[in-house]
């Protein structure tokens, strides 16, 4: 399924034998079903500490890494963290940033917009959840020695891969929280990542706490989000 050749080495073309065409009825059913499933996804902020097998995380990361990317450079790196000590370091550093954010960095308008979500600087889920996935975007890579090769459409590519990761984890029956402690530079230090990597976001992954509550908020309707011409 996965081509073992590094990107760039694949050459030429081959038939697209993976494609599966559905007839119109199956297609409509499939589209409705995926819409229904994805609409069950909610960000949660209280996680059970129940373990999630590493193999599940591995499959979801490979699903994410099937995302399209600029010049097929696949400019993403995922750090999957289950080590309690590393999670604790991340929680401490994230809470320090969040205290500054909620204390004086965020504008009143931003805090007002966040009020319905009930968030604050307290982030116990960073230690409770069995997995944190730190997503890094690679702005460039070293090619032959020390020559820097620039990547294209990095934010778009990593954003797409992250969306696919969230969908894959959800389909696997897991809950996620898309967490963006800001600034996130501490992730590079705590995780010892290279200068070419920039923290993109931190995904919290696991089972929701059994009695978890979610904000009673709605999704936009089709006319609010789409225009057909
Ligand atoms: N990073 C902060 C604040 C925050 C910002 C947005 I935009 C959100 O949608 C949610 C939270 C935090 O994680 O609390």
């Amino acid at each position: 399924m996965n081509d073992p050749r590094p990107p760039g080495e694949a050459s030429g073309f081959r038939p697209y034998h993976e494609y599966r065409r559905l007839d119109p009825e199956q297609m409509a059913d499939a589209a409705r079903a995926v819409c229904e499933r994805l609409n069950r996804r909610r960000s949660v902020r209280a996680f059970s500490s129940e373990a999630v097998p590493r193999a599940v995380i591995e499959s979801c990361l490979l699903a994410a890494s099937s995302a399209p990317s600029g010049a097929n450079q696949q400019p993403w790196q995922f750090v999957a963290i289950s080590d309690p000590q590393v999670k604790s370091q991340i929680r401490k550093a994230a809470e320090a940033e969040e205290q500054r954010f909620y204390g004086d960095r965020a504008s009143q308008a931003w805090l007002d917009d966040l009020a319905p979500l009930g968030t604050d600087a307290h982030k116990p889920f960073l230690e409770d959840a069995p997995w944190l996935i730190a997503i890094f975007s690679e702005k460039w890579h070293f090619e032959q020695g020390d020559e820097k090769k620039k990547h294209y459409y990095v934010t778009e590519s990593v954003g797409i891969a992250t969306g696919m990761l969230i969908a894959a984890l959800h389909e696997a029956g897991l809950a996620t929280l898309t967490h963006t402690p800001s600034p996130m530079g501490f992730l590079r230090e705590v995780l010892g990542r290279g200068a070419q990597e920039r923290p993109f976001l931190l995904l919290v992954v696991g089972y929701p706490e059994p009695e978890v509550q979610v904000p009673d908020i709605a999704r936009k309707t089709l006319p609010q989000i789409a225009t057909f011409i």
Side-chain angles (χ1 to χ4, degrees):
M1 206 168 63
N2 285 300
D3 192 326
R5 291 169 294 191
E9 262 181 42
S11 58
F13 288 80
R14 64 158 174 83
Y16 180 13
H17 51 71
E18 300 93 334
Y19 180 72
R20 295 284 177 275
R21 187 180 161 121
L22 300 180
D23 66 41
E25 224 170 84
Q26 290 174 313
M27 187 185 280
D29 287 349
R32 261 194 304 272
V34 74
C35 173
E36 204 265 333
R37 288 200 310 272
L38 289 185
N39 262 308
R40 288 175 179 273
R41 188 203 57 77
R42 291 296 307 262
S43 293
V44 304
R45 292 184 171 79
F47 286 80
S48 145
S49 56
E50 199 178 336
V52 167
R54 172 176 163 156
V56 173
I57 304 298
E58 289 177 351
S59 296
C60 292
L61 292 176
L62 286 172
S65 198
S66 71
S69 64
N72 189 35
Q73 286 164 326
Q74 304 168 53
W76 39 70
Q77 285 289 321
F78 303 96
V79 183
I81 304 146
S82 62
D83 182 327
Q85 280 178 0
V86 180
K87 287 195 284 185
S88 163
Q89 275 179 287
I90 290 177
R91 177 181 178 182
K92 276 197 196 80
E95 286 185 336
E97 293 298 1
E98 297 292 10
Q99 256 141 28
R100 284 190 281 276
F101 174 83
Y102 286 96
D104 57 60
R105 252 203 336 251
S107 64
Q108 192 53 48
W110 195 344
L111 293 176
D112 291 347
D113 286 339
L114 290 181
L117 306 182
T119 58
D120 59 26
H122 193 52
K123 305 295 179 193
F125 51 74
L126 292 175
E127 285 186 281
D128 297 341
W131 291 98
L132 305 178
I133 303 178
I135 303 164
F136 290 85
S137 42
E138 286 178 321
K139 296 286 160 191
W140 44 267
H141 71 268
F142 280 119
E143 207 171 52
Q144 284 143 18
D146 54 4
E147 206 192 312
K148 281 186 192 175
K149 182 89 174 67
K150 174 185 157 10
H151 292 162
Y152 309 104
Y153 296 103
V154 171
T155 306
E156 292 82 348
S157 304
V158 181
I160 296 166
T162 299
M164 290 175 60
L165 177 58
I166 292 169
L169 290 162
H170 171 73
E171 286 278 284
L174 292 168
T176 57
L177 174 65
T178 312
H179 183 42
T180 52
S182 158
M184 275 187 286
F186 70 86
L187 282 176
R188 194 195 272 148
E189 276 122 57
V190 171
L191 301 173
R193 308 301 297 186
Q196 75 280 23
E197 291 182 16
R198 179 178 293 181
F200 184 70
L201 55 78
L202 188 59
L203 213 58
V204 185
V205 182
Y207 296 99
E209 202 179 58
E211 301 302 321
V212 76
Q213 300 257 327
V214 295
D216 191 8
I217 48 180
R219 297 204 155 103
K220 290 183 178 176
T221 61
L222 188 63
Q224 286 174 308
I225 60 144
T227 305
F228 289 77
I229 295 171

